[in-house]
Amino acid sequence: MHIIAVLLLLILVVDLHPHPGWGIAVDSKGSVYFTDIINRTIWKVDHGNELEAYLTNVWSHSIYIDQNNKLYFENEEFELGNGWISLKKVSPEKHIDYVIKPTKYGDGFNSPNFAIDSLGSVYYFVRDTLFQRDKSGISTPFLKNGLNKPHYFSTQKDGRIYFVDSDGIKRTSPDGRIEIIAANLTVKNPVDNPYPNEKREIFNRIYGITIDDEGNIYYAYHGNSRVNKIDLSGKISEIYYSKGKWYPLGLAWFDNNLFILEEGLSSNAGPQTCRVTLLTSDGEIKIIATIEKISK
């Protein structure tokens, strides 16, 4: 895949300083989609190197693309008030339908994290329980025992669900058990914490994870500015360091390349920008898109 650097300066006046989403996905043609909460947009970089505001006026943390190139995204429905979240899908022709209509927190699907399997079932967390919602719209508890603070799905692979739980990574087995991939992946007081004065766990955690074609796992340790790899033997190695103001959030694997969604912080205003970095199979690093928010 040949993608060149694209730079977009988007001038927008915003009176809030929200964090960007961690959603990033690649379709079968190699087009990259990523979330940008700062500008309430899902962006697309296509295989012809064009950057497009694919969907606007959306507040989405996470996205997923199925085998038919349909884009799924979680959306916070602020026009209904705080705490309403829906799940929508978009066809390649940009026809948008609800998968799950807006739901109030505590009443069912109300999570910025979700996964979808090959049969179209949706998986999501409510506190310490993993729910499965089938195509008919019926939700049932899928998994509970063995979960602590689950968040941040990766993807479906071989019928298993991979996810971050507290400071480790776990997956479900084909018979519904929990398997621990790795534990204790975060460190206390990391050197490169983007929020060094914050002691809460949410500011020193793992966000996105993804899996390559061989089964190696990659995770974005946002709290220490690193992307690490867990190989099939369980060995952990650092493969990318977000330098300066940049910190990794989301990951996607496609065609032997790793795509990294990063946020950029301003010392006085919090998150102000996001970008997508491509790490090729031979170790080359390319910035393929940068989105700026410029205040008055």
Side-chain angles (χ1 to χ4, degrees):
M1 183 188 308
H2 300 287
I3 303 178
I4 63 175
V6 180
L7 176 64
L8 174 70
L9 297 180
L10 181 63
I11 301 175
L12 180 66
V13 178
V14 179
D15 59 356
L16 300 172
H17 300 299
H19 59 79
W22 50 83
I24 182 169
V26 186
D27 68 18
S28 63
K29 297 179 180 179
S31 297
V32 181
Y33 302 76
F34 60 98
T35 59
D36 171 14
I37 286 180
I38 294 174
N39 298 307
R40 302 193 180 191
T41 299
I42 295 176
W43 299 92
K44 174 183 177 181
V45 183
D46 70 15
H47 56 288
N49 306 324
E50 295 294 327
L51 180 64
E52 172 192 356
Y54 188 71
L55 295 175
T56 58
N57 196 30
V58 296
W59 189 288
S60 180
H61 297 81
S62 53
I63 60 177
Y64 171 82
I65 294 177
D66 69 11
Q67 62 269 27
N68 297 314
N69 287 331
K70 289 185 178 180
L71 172 70
Y72 293 73
F73 67 98
E74 157 272 337
N75 189 55
E76 298 198 23
E77 308 276 351
F78 285 108
E79 64 273 14
L80 300 177
N82 291 330
W84 291 85
I85 294 181
S86 67
L87 181 63
K88 298 179 178 181
K89 64 180 178 181
V90 188
S91 70
E93 297 75 32
K94 290 192 179 180
H95 181 72
I96 301 176
D97 290 312
Y98 278 114
V99 177
I100 302 176
K101 292 183 177 181
T103 307
K104 181 69 174 177
Y105 181 77
D107 293 335
F109 176 82
N110 195 267
S111 172
N113 300 286
F114 68 93
I116 300 176
D117 66 19
S118 60
L119 299 177
S121 295
V122 179
Y123 299 83
Y124 59 92
F125 290 115
V126 177
R127 299 182 179 88
D128 62 349
T129 301
L130 175 62
F131 283 83
Q132 180 191 56
R133 185 182 189 274
D134 63 24
K135 293 189 70 174
S136 68
I138 298 175
S139 293
T140 55
F142 183 77
L143 195 63
K144 181 173 183 178
N145 295 330
L147 300 179
N148 186 13
K149 296 179 180 179
H151 47 85
Y152 311 121
F153 286 105
S154 166
T155 183
Q156 290 284 336
K157 187 176 179 66
D158 299 332
R160 296 179 176 182
I161 304 168
Y162 291 74
F163 57 93
V164 178
D165 191 9
S166 295
D167 62 352
I169 296 173
K170 299 178 180 179
R171 69 183 177 193
T172 60
S173 66
D175 59 359
R177 295 178 294 106
I178 292 179
E179 299 175 342
I180 298 174
I181 303 297
N184 303 316
L185 296 177
T186 62
V187 297
K188 186 177 181 180
N189 300 319
V191 175
D192 292 299
N193 191 333
Y195 303 94
N197 297 322
E198 283 284 356
K199 303 304 179 183
R200 288 176 289 171
E201 178 266 344
I202 193 173
F203 292 98
N204 179 28
R205 64 164 47 165
I206 298 166
Y207 276 74
I209 57 175
T210 193
I211 307 161
D212 68 20
D213 300 328
E214 297 178 352
N216 301 299
I217 299 171
Y218 304 81
Y219 64 91
Y221 184 4
H222 176 267
N224 201 28
S225 193
R226 264 76 173 175
V227 175
N228 293 333
K229 173 183 176 180
I230 306 174
D231 68 18
L232 298 180
S233 71
K235 179 183 177 182
I236 300 174
S237 58
E238 177 185 319
I239 64 165
Y240 181 74
Y241 172 38
S242 296
K243 298 180 180 179
K245 68 177 182 179
W246 298 100
Y247 300 89
L249 279 166
L251 302 174
W253 181 268
F254 178 78
D255 195 23
N256 291 320
N257 295 313
L258 180 66
F259 296 84
I260 305 167
L261 177 60
E262 301 169 276
E263 71 172 355
L265 301 186
S266 167
S267 58
N268 297 320
Q272 293 290 289
T273 180
C274 64
R275 75 180 183 186
V276 175
T277 298
L278 169 64
L279 179 61
T280 68
S281 56
D282 59 4
E284 185 179 1
I285 296 173
K286 301 178 182 179
I287 309 301
I288 67 170
T290 301
I291 311 297
E292 298 281 358
K293 180 185 80 67
I294 302 176
S295 301
K296 283 186 176 179

